[in-house]
Each structure stands twice: as C-alpha cells, then as structure tokens.
Amino acid sequence: MAVAKERLFVNQAFGSSILVLDSRTLREITRIELDKPSQGKVTAAPDGNAVYFASNIERAFYAFDPFCTWLKRTPYPDGGHGIGAVVVSPDSRRLYLGIQRGASADNADPPSELAGKVNPLEQLYGGPMLSIYDVAEERYIASKSIGDTMLERGVDSSIASGMVFSNDAKSLFISMRQCVVGVHIFGVAQNRLLKPVAFPTTLERHRIRGCNDVVVHDDKVFVALLSNDVIKVVDPVTQTIENTIDCGEQVSNMAVFEKKLYACQTKQKRILVFEIQ
C-alpha cells in the first residue's frame, strides 16, 4: 500500500487492479485495471506526484499519477522478472527495483567479502539484482547483482525483502531473504555496493538465513531477522550492531512513526511497539 495526494493505492494479489481509496474516508475512488493479476509491490514518490507498481507476474513496472490521468508501462531490464522490494529516492528522481532474477556477469559488482563471495551468479536464470531507473530520462541507469552463495537452497535465488534510504540519502539499505548477506548497502554517490552486514543464524529450525525487513530512524537502522526471531539495531556509519531486540517469534514487517518502532508478527497475529531512545 502507498499514499499520495490523500489517496491510498492498494495492490490486490488475487485481482488484476490497483484499488484507489480516499485516505480519510477509505471509500473507493476508482481502480486501475491491469492485464494480469496485480501481485507485486507498490510505492509512491516522496513528492507525491507519481505512484509505482512493480509486478511479480509481468516483467514490468507501471507508473501513474495520483489522480489516475495517465498510466505508463515499462519493462524490466533484459532477463529481469519477479520483484522483492521497490523504493523511490528521497528527491523522487530515481526508482530502485529489487528484482529477483536476471543478474548477469556483466552487472556483478561484489562488495567486500564479509559474508563470502556474494555474486557467484550460480542460480538458475540468474540471481537477484538492484535496477535503478531514472524517472526524468525514462531509462535504466544501472543494474547491480546482489546474489549470494547459499547453494543448499538449490536453484532458488535470494531476494530483496525491503529497501530504505538513510536520512541523508547517501546510502540505500537492502534487506535480503534466503541470503548469506543480511543487508546490502548501496552507496549512492559511489554507484556501487559497499561492505554488507551479515547476521549468523542461531536457531536450528531456520536453515536459511536472511532478513524480512529493514527501516531507518534518525541514526539507527532496524533489521528484522528471518532466522533469529530478533531485531538488530545497526549503526549505519560503522555497520556495527548496537543492540539486539528479542521478539520471541519472527517479525515479518516493520514501520517507524515518530519515536516508535512497530513490528508485525504474522504468526502471532500481533504488533509489537517499541519506544526508540
């Protein structure tokens, strides 16, 4: 779900439309009809002038304005299909897509090998990639492989589960699921992946490592671990772990509002609320 110009945009996984609601009354305004089921991710530009839907079914993303006066379809880069996460840069000029498959040797950009080699590109159909689309120029300006070496998973690739910018917009944090690397860090100015952050698995019932979500508040990065039932608090500058929050069960999604961290636990059907000091 995304918000723009006092409207809510909801992708319906079992339908073929984006539902547009009045954010105050929650009444339906219209629907944006698509050719195929609207499974995927939706986000809005920070300036509120555009909304984006990245499809998990089609090999493309859609852009439209909040008042639904125009709609544009743009294919993913060659070989790209499946979507894990999507976000717009704070200046609303670039769209960042965490595409599940399509990486190639040409766009491998390995960071320091903190968690082992992260770009072997050994998954069937290629591994995941971060693709960056320039909104004004209407073209992709970069694609970066964000694969890993977890071969016990077979041909199933890792996938971006969440993406968020640092407050100064200099870094993009990418939480990874089914992945040795917990969080990739993309340096915007450097236009490359920097040293990743890894989180060892401590629970035997979770054979596969990775993270479910990542959010930022001031100078802290919060990472919900898939494998350890905890939230890690990371310093974005040093990439060191400052604190560990034991949640008892896996946290699926998080949100930050004012000085509170909201953590959703799907299996427990509850939301945990933490005060941010």
Side-chain angles (χ1 to χ4, degrees):
M1 184 168 59
V3 182
K5 304 296 185 183
E6 297 185 346
R7 295 183 171 199
L8 299 180
F9 298 84
V10 185
N11 63 301
Q12 299 177 289
F14 299 102
S16 58
S17 63
I18 305 296
L19 184 62
V20 185
L21 306 174
D22 185 299
S23 63
R24 295 164 297 182
T25 65
L26 297 184
R27 291 179 179 175
E28 180 178 334
I29 297 174
T30 187
R31 293 172 185 252
I32 301 172
E33 299 295 335
L34 305 175
D35 294 332
K36 295 184 178 181
S38 55
Q39 294 182 23
K41 302 292 182 178
V42 63
T43 190
D47 64 11
N49 292 326
V51 181
Y52 301 92
F53 169 72
S55 178
N56 200 43
I57 305 298
E58 294 187 70
R59 300 188 178 195
F61 74 86
Y62 290 83
F64 46 94
D65 71 301
F67 302 104
C68 308
T69 62
W70 57 268
L71 176 69
K72 180 182 178 182
R73 180 185 184 276
T74 301
Y76 291 151
D78 291 343
H81 59 108
I83 194 71
V86 58
V87 70
V88 184
S89 60
D91 61 8
S92 300
R93 296 174 59 183
R94 293 177 177 177
L95 176 69
Y96 291 74
L97 298 155
I99 298 175
Q100 185 171 14
R101 297 185 184 277
S104 67
D106 293 335
N107 59 32
D109 186 18
S112 302
E113 296 177 4
L114 176 66
K117 294 180 180 179
V118 296
N119 286 301
L121 302 173
E122 295 177 358
Q123 287 87 15
L124 187 65
Y125 308 119
M129 62 181 175
L130 172 69
S131 293
I132 307 170
Y133 184 82
D134 188 292
V135 174
E137 297 182 6
E138 298 185 339
R139 67 182 182 90
Y140 290 99
I141 58 174
S143 284
K144 304 289 184 179
S145 170
I146 50 176
D148 68 78
T149 55
M150 284 198 65
L151 298 183
E152 69 262 35
R153 182 180 60 249
V155 298
D156 190 18
S157 72
S158 54
I159 183 171
S161 57
M163 295 196 294
V164 64
F165 276 92
S166 59
N167 286 340
D168 59 11
K170 293 181 179 180
S171 300
L172 174 67
F173 299 96
I174 310 166
S175 61
M176 300 296 298
R177 187 180 292 131
Q178 300 184 164
C179 191
V180 169
V181 172
V183 175
H184 274 300
I185 303 174
F186 179 77
V188 175
Q190 301 93 327
N191 192 37
R192 62 168 289 122
L193 292 169
L194 306 178
K195 184 175 71 173
V197 181
F199 305 100
T201 298
T202 59
L203 299 181
E204 292 184 1
R205 71 175 183 274
H206 291 298
R207 180 175 60 87
I208 294 178
R209 305 180 190 178
C211 306
N212 280 334
D213 202 7
V214 58
V215 295
V216 168
H217 181 272
D218 291 338
D219 60 347
K220 300 180 187 299
V221 178
F222 298 88
V223 185
L225 268 61
L226 166 67
S227 55
N228 295 3
D229 296 346
V230 300
I231 296 173
K232 294 288 187 179
V233 184
V234 180
D235 184 303
V237 177
T238 64
Q239 287 104 52
T240 56
I241 299 172
E242 292 186 339
N243 195 10
T244 298
I245 304 171
D246 188 352
C247 299
E249 291 289 340
Q250 183 184 136
V251 169
S252 55
N253 298 92
M254 297 182 295
V256 173
F257 182 69
E258 294 180 343
K259 289 191 175 184
K260 287 185 172 61
L261 172 68
Y262 298 86
C264 176
Q265 293 183 312
T266 304
K267 291 182 179 180
Q268 296 295 317
K269 299 181 180 179
R270 66 184 180 186
I271 296 175
L272 305 178
V273 184
F274 301 96
E275 292 280 351
I276 300 175
Q277 301 299 321

